Amino acid sequence: MGLFKSFDSPDFPREITDGNGDTWRNAADIMPGRNGEPTYTPVTGPEGPALTPSEIATEHGRR
């Protein structure tokens, strides 16, 4: 486990898929979350900043 609290629950799974079909990986073990949510880094698709699930849904849609 890294420096930060690991979020591995049904609410915050290891990976999520956005509305474009791109995969995001939970980065809670290497960076802090925001607003009570862990951050996710893009695995597929365009590179970008780490985002929370709410930010991903707002910017890229949900799947």
Side-chain angles (χ1 to χ4, degrees), residues 2-15:
L3 299 173
F4 304 102
K5 181 179 177 185
S6 177
F7 288 89
D8 192 15
S9 71
D11 294 329
F12 302 114
R14 272 286 161 220
E15 292 186 345

PDB file of all heavy atoms in Angstrom, residues 2-15:
ATOM      1  N   GLY A   2       0.460   2.263  -0.721  1.00  0.00           N
ATOM      2  CA  GLY A   2       1.247   3.475  -0.837  1.00  0.00           C
ATOM      3  C   GLY A   2       1.045   4.417   0.333  1.00  0.00           C
ATOM      4  O   GLY A   2       0.643   4.031   1.420  1.00  0.00           O
ATOM      5  N   LEU A   3       1.297   5.667   0.094  1.00  0.00           N
ATOM      6  CA  LEU A   3       1.220   6.675   1.133  1.00  0.00           C
ATOM      7  C   LEU A   3      -0.211   7.047   1.504  1.00  0.00           C
ATOM      8  O   LEU A   3      -0.458   7.540   2.583  1.00  0.00           O
ATOM      9  CB  LEU A   3       1.943   7.944   0.673  1.00  0.00           C
ATOM     10  CG  LEU A   3       3.423   7.804   0.374  1.00  0.00           C
ATOM     11  CD1 LEU A   3       3.947   9.108  -0.229  1.00  0.00           C
ATOM     12  CD2 LEU A   3       4.178   7.483   1.645  1.00  0.00           C
ATOM     13  N   PHE A   4      -1.133   6.845   0.603  1.00  0.00           N
ATOM     14  CA  PHE A   4      -2.488   7.312   0.809  1.00  0.00           C
ATOM     15  C   PHE A   4      -3.455   6.153   0.979  1.00  0.00           C
ATOM     16  O   PHE A   4      -3.181   5.034   0.569  1.00  0.00           O
ATOM     17  CB  PHE A   4      -2.915   8.199  -0.368  1.00  0.00           C
ATOM     18  CG  PHE A   4      -1.979   9.347  -0.572  1.00  0.00           C
ATOM     19  CD1 PHE A   4      -1.031   9.323  -1.569  1.00  0.00           C
ATOM     20  CD2 PHE A   4      -2.021  10.448   0.266  1.00  0.00           C
ATOM     21  CE1 PHE A   4      -0.144  10.367  -1.741  1.00  0.00           C
ATOM     22  CE2 PHE A   4      -1.137  11.498   0.107  1.00  0.00           C
ATOM     23  CZ  PHE A   4      -0.200  11.455  -0.896  1.00  0.00           C
ATOM     24  N   LYS A   5      -4.598   6.426   1.571  1.00  0.00           N
ATOM     25  CA  LYS A   5      -5.611   5.394   1.820  1.00  0.00           C
ATOM     26  C   LYS A   5      -6.050   4.778   0.496  1.00  0.00           C
ATOM     27  O   LYS A   5      -6.382   5.467  -0.460  1.00  0.00           O
ATOM     28  CB  LYS A   5      -6.810   6.023   2.526  1.00  0.00           C
ATOM     29  CG  LYS A   5      -7.894   5.033   2.832  1.00  0.00           C
ATOM     30  CD  LYS A   5      -9.044   5.705   3.548  1.00  0.00           C
ATOM     31  CE  LYS A   5     -10.156   4.723   3.794  1.00  0.00           C
ATOM     32  NZ  LYS A   5     -11.339   5.349   4.375  1.00  0.00           N
ATOM     33  N   SER A   6      -6.060   3.477   0.441  1.00  0.00           N
ATOM     34  CA  SER A   6      -6.479   2.771  -0.764  1.00  0.00           C
ATOM     35  C   SER A   6      -7.992   2.694  -0.830  1.00  0.00           C
ATOM     36  O   SER A   6      -8.641   2.358   0.143  1.00  0.00           O
ATOM     37  CB  SER A   6      -5.895   1.352  -0.789  1.00  0.00           C
ATOM     38  OG  SER A   6      -6.357   0.671  -1.917  1.00  0.00           O
ATOM     39  N   PHE A   7      -8.553   3.040  -1.957  1.00  0.00           N
ATOM     40  CA  PHE A   7      -9.979   2.911  -2.183  1.00  0.00           C
ATOM     41  C   PHE A   7     -10.184   1.714  -3.100  1.00  0.00           C
ATOM     42  O   PHE A   7      -9.929   1.790  -4.288  1.00  0.00           O
ATOM     43  CB  PHE A   7     -10.532   4.163  -2.874  1.00  0.00           C
ATOM     44  CG  PHE A   7     -10.604   5.373  -1.991  1.00  0.00           C
ATOM     45  CD1 PHE A   7      -9.536   6.230  -1.877  1.00  0.00           C
ATOM     46  CD2 PHE A   7     -11.753   5.648  -1.278  1.00  0.00           C
ATOM     47  CE1 PHE A   7      -9.605   7.356  -1.080  1.00  0.00           C
ATOM     48  CE2 PHE A   7     -11.829   6.775  -0.474  1.00  0.00           C
ATOM     49  CZ  PHE A   7     -10.754   7.633  -0.380  1.00  0.00           C
ATOM     50  N   ASP A   8     -10.623   0.603  -2.566  1.00  0.00           N
ATOM     51  CA  ASP A   8     -10.939  -0.557  -3.391  1.00  0.00           C
ATOM     52  C   ASP A   8     -12.264  -1.092  -2.890  1.00  0.00           C
ATOM     53  O   ASP A   8     -12.324  -1.976  -2.051  1.00  0.00           O
ATOM     54  CB  ASP A   8      -9.846  -1.628  -3.295  1.00  0.00           C
ATOM     55  CG  ASP A   8     -10.019  -2.704  -4.368  1.00  0.00           C
ATOM     56  OD1 ASP A   8     -10.782  -2.468  -5.324  1.00  0.00           O
ATOM     57  OD2 ASP A   8      -9.405  -3.755  -4.236  1.00  0.00           O
ATOM     58  N   SER A   9     -13.330  -0.493  -3.344  1.00  0.00           N
ATOM     59  CA  SER A   9     -14.668  -0.841  -2.913  1.00  0.00           C
ATOM     60  C   SER A   9     -15.584  -0.807  -4.128  1.00  0.00           C
ATOM     61  O   SER A   9     -15.192  -0.314  -5.187  1.00  0.00           O
ATOM     62  CB  SER A   9     -15.142   0.147  -1.857  1.00  0.00           C
ATOM     63  OG  SER A   9     -15.404   1.405  -2.446  1.00  0.00           O
ATOM     64  N   PRO A  10     -16.811  -1.293  -3.991  1.00  0.00           N
ATOM     65  CA  PRO A  10     -17.748  -1.216  -5.126  1.00  0.00           C
ATOM     66  C   PRO A  10     -17.980   0.220  -5.594  1.00  0.00           C
ATOM     67  O   PRO A  10     -18.194   0.458  -6.774  1.00  0.00           O
ATOM     68  CB  PRO A  10     -19.028  -1.827  -4.564  1.00  0.00           C
ATOM     69  CG  PRO A  10     -18.576  -2.707  -3.451  1.00  0.00           C
ATOM     70  CD  PRO A  10     -17.363  -2.032  -2.869  1.00  0.00           C
ATOM     71  N   ASP A  11     -17.910   1.178  -4.663  1.00  0.00           N
ATOM     72  CA  ASP A  11     -18.106   2.582  -5.042  1.00  0.00           C
ATOM     73  C   ASP A  11     -16.901   3.146  -5.793  1.00  0.00           C
ATOM     74  O   ASP A  11     -17.040   4.030  -6.623  1.00  0.00           O
ATOM     75  CB  ASP A  11     -18.375   3.438  -3.812  1.00  0.00           C
ATOM     76  CG  ASP A  11     -19.691   3.083  -3.145  1.00  0.00           C
ATOM     77  OD1 ASP A  11     -20.633   2.664  -3.850  1.00  0.00           O
ATOM     78  OD2 ASP A  11     -19.767   3.215  -1.914  1.00  0.00           O
ATOM     79  N   PHE A  12     -15.717   2.648  -5.459  1.00  0.00           N
ATOM     80  CA  PHE A  12     -14.484   3.131  -6.074  1.00  0.00           C
ATOM     81  C   PHE A  12     -13.629   1.929  -6.486  1.00  0.00           C
ATOM     82  O   PHE A  12     -12.662   1.578  -5.818  1.00  0.00           O
ATOM     83  CB  PHE A  12     -13.707   4.032  -5.108  1.00  0.00           C
ATOM     84  CG  PHE A  12     -14.500   5.222  -4.650  1.00  0.00           C
ATOM     85  CD1 PHE A  12     -14.881   5.345  -3.332  1.00  0.00           C
ATOM     86  CD2 PHE A  12     -14.863   6.205  -5.548  1.00  0.00           C
ATOM     87  CE1 PHE A  12     -15.608   6.447  -2.905  1.00  0.00           C
ATOM     88  CE2 PHE A  12     -15.598   7.311  -5.133  1.00  0.00           C
ATOM     89  CZ  PHE A  12     -15.976   7.431  -3.809  1.00  0.00           C
ATOM     90  N   PRO A  13     -13.968   1.285  -7.608  1.00  0.00           N
ATOM     91  CA  PRO A  13     -13.219   0.099  -8.045  1.00  0.00           C
ATOM     92  C   PRO A  13     -11.812   0.445  -8.526  1.00  0.00           C
ATOM     93  O   PRO A  13     -11.471   1.613  -8.711  1.00  0.00           O
ATOM     94  CB  PRO A  13     -14.068  -0.445  -9.192  1.00  0.00           C
ATOM     95  CG  PRO A  13     -14.800   0.747  -9.710  1.00  0.00           C
ATOM     96  CD  PRO A  13     -15.034   1.637  -8.520  1.00  0.00           C
ATOM     97  N   ARG A  14     -11.006  -0.584  -8.745  1.00  0.00           N
ATOM     98  CA  ARG A  14      -9.623  -0.393  -9.239  1.00  0.00           C
ATOM     99  C   ARG A  14      -9.605   0.329 -10.579  1.00  0.00           C
ATOM    100  O   ARG A  14      -8.737   1.153 -10.836  1.00  0.00           O
ATOM    101  CB  ARG A  14      -8.935  -1.737  -9.443  1.00  0.00           C
ATOM    102  CG  ARG A  14      -8.245  -2.302  -8.288  1.00  0.00           C
ATOM    103  CD  ARG A  14      -6.933  -1.619  -7.946  1.00  0.00           C
ATOM    104  NE  ARG A  14      -6.698  -2.014  -6.586  1.00  0.00           N
ATOM    105  CZ  ARG A  14      -6.231  -1.268  -5.630  1.00  0.00           C
ATOM    106  NH1 ARG A  14      -5.838  -0.066  -5.887  1.00  0.00           N
ATOM    107  NH2 ARG A  14      -6.118  -1.698  -4.424  1.00  0.00           N
ATOM    108  N   GLU A  15     -10.535  -0.004 -11.475  1.00  0.00           N
ATOM    109  CA  GLU A  15     -10.597   0.639 -12.793  1.00  0.00           C
ATOM    110  C   GLU A  15     -12.043   0.999 -13.110  1.00  0.00           C
ATOM    111  O   GLU A  15     -12.962   0.302 -12.701  1.00  0.00           O
ATOM    112  CB  GLU A  15     -10.058  -0.294 -13.883  1.00  0.00           C
ATOM    113  CG  GLU A  15      -8.576  -0.549 -13.785  1.00  0.00           C
ATOM    114  CD  GLU A  15      -8.034  -1.367 -14.950  1.00  0.00           C
ATOM    115  OE1 GLU A  15      -8.831  -1.975 -15.687  1.00  0.00           O
ATOM    116  OE2 GLU A  15      -6.810  -1.383 -15.115  1.00  0.00           O
TER     117      GLU A  15
END
